[in-house]
Amino acid sequence: MNNKLSPLIKERLKKHRHNINILLNKIIAYDHIAIFRHIRPDYDAMGSQLGLYYWIKENFPSKDVKFLGENHVSLSPRCFPNTDVVADSWFKDNKVLAIVVDTSTKGRVSDTRYTMGDYIVKIDHHPENKKYGDIQLVETTCCAAAEFVLSIILSFGNEYVLSKRSASFFYKGIVGDSNRFMYNSTSPMTFEIAKIILETGIKLSKVYAEMYQKDMNDLEITSYILNHLQFTKKGVGYYVLDKDEMEMLHLPPERGKDNIDLFDHVKGVEIWCSITEEAKDGYFRVSIRSKEIPINGVAAKYSGGGHAQASGAKIKNLDELPNLLKDLDDLIN
Ligand code: AMP
């Protein structure tokens, strides 16, 4: 264990030590390593993926490392570089170590070729603990997969370096999944890890510009949504955008939830969601957030899941919306 790690981080990693040792030995042993994450990637999926990717490349320059999955509709390449294009033959011709980060269930892994890995490692922080892969490292007390992945690699030892580049990706993951350190999942360990990241010398203004840059069309979208906010009797706040509205706003489905934070800190709004049409796949995607009340039970009822204060779900059509809103209303006293 790295002597520089605080007692808090060491304690958090204690129960994972066996699998952490296996992971390091596998990283050392394999010449071909592929890093995966979930579909519809967010800051944490891509931040933990790219932080680990660059950490391996920089510490083991002779290894062939790839990061896979679909690009993000607006964050690639502004905030995260475009993913590697890899032929199936790369997986067939080589013994590949596949590491999947931030993905609770195998159905949500972006790029199913992780199954072609010779050895598969799952590293996650989601409460749903569905096992897949040869070993699982799951720590639900971490606010972000990036927090957990970085703590793991820091524990590998002082002989390894953490570059500014790798650290800034981990930072994006932590900031994204903690909603800028606002969710209750943010812990003393989160700040200890953030401190280690800042000590690498990353420039915060650059990181935040890459994450949150907007254009005029984004302001128009926000203005439209502000004019179409709705509230249930118990104060569940929501907005609905169907296919036509999204087309009119030039808003791709992947970005439907971009304005969900408009409800943050609104007095009387304990739970809120965005409901946006995924016309190509024939359903409405629901992102749900709350100040305190756990909402992942309701998300699970509607083909979803996630965290206590940030979950995702799906409904087939808007006829299902009243039931979903009632279930959310029922969570409020
Ligand atoms: P989102 O609303 O897409 O930002 O998702 C919030 C959280 O819920 C993230 O941690 C997602 O990984 C998780 N999540 C979103 N959709 C699903 C789903 N269909 N099944 C399981 N978890 C989900």
Side-chain angles (χ1 to χ4, degrees), residues 38 40 42 102 104-105 108 125-126 128 177 257 260 285-289 302-307 310-314:
H38 63 76
R40 287 296 169 87
D42 53 15
D102 195 34
S104 53
T105 57
R108 283 179 52 79
H125 73 128
H126 287 93
E128 306 95 351
D177 249 29
K257 66 173 180 184
I260 194 164
R285 180 172 175 76
V286 186
S287 282
I288 316 172
R289 305 288 185 263
Y302 293 88
S303 315
H307 304 285
S311 286
K314 293 172 184 176

Side-chain angles (χ1 to χ4, degrees), residues 263-295:
F263 295 100
D264 260 0
H265 306 297
V266 177
K267 197 173 162 194
V269 177
E270 297 303 319
I271 297 175
W272 58 98
C273 37
S274 66
I275 302 111
T276 54
E277 188 163 6
E278 299 276 339
K280 195 159 63 68
D281 299 316
Y283 68 90
F284 282 74
R285 180 172 175 76
V286 186
S287 282
I288 316 172
R289 305 288 185 263
S290 89
K291 279 181 186 151
E292 301 274 350
I293 299 168
I295 36 85

